[in-house]
Amino acid sequence: MVPSEYYLVLSAAVFCIGLFGVLTRRNALVFLMSVELMLNAANINLVAFSVQNGNLTGQVFSLFTMALAAAEVAVGIGIILVLYRNFNDVDVTTATTMRW
Amino acid sequence: MAVAPYETLAFALFAVITVGSSLGVVLVRDVWHSALLLGIALLSVAVHYVMRQAAFVATMQVLVYVGGVLILITFAVMLTRDSSGEEAVA
């Protein structure tokens, strides 16, 4: 089996890419996809350490994370559709109604 | 333990696929292409789960993420139109 450190490096790379997307893109849909990338990086870590510890705790945690991610995407898509209906685009910088 | 060389080779191949498609998600201008690249990234992460002997988690990854989350994102891409015309990220 490939050592766990390789998976940690892979997970860190995917997490950094997702963080880069969150911080640099202004499209709300790309924002949401970058959050999904970060959650997948966390899942890679959980599964890798699950094999290293020899029990299924990490895999069960990753299943919980998947359910949470699905619910979060459902709520986020609803918010993005309402944003588009009110502002006619999905740029996150145009919604300045609540800015004081 | 000794690592079989083909296993390291397979890990390297799918790691390159994962990181490359993830970079494509955040760098490509078209949102639809970003969604397709996200699907490739999620499927390659499922392959990594199989390599870590987590077959059930890989199955749930394909069912929940590719079958649910990606379809929701596809609906959002089809229901919205990006009129901001943001420039490509360098």
Side-chain angles (χ1 to χ4, degrees), chain B residues 1-14:
Chain B
M1 66 182 79
V3 181
Y6 63 86
E7 197 173 6
T8 308
L9 201 65
F11 171 78
L13 174 69
F14 282 103

Side-chain angles (χ1 to χ4, degrees), chain A residues 26-29 80 83-84 88-92, chain B residues 80-82:
Chain A
R26 291 189 312 185
N27 193 343
L29 290 166
I80 286 173
L83 184 82
Y84 177 72
N88 280 323
D89 60 354
V90 287
D91 195 350
V92 293
Chain B
T80 57
R81 177 174 41 85
D82 190 11

Side-chain angles (χ1 to χ4, degrees), chain A residues 43 46 56-66:
Chain A
N43 275 334
L46 287 168
L56 292 178
T57 308
Q59 295 188 19
V60 174
F61 266 115
S62 70
L63 290 174
F64 274 104
T65 311
M66 283 182 195

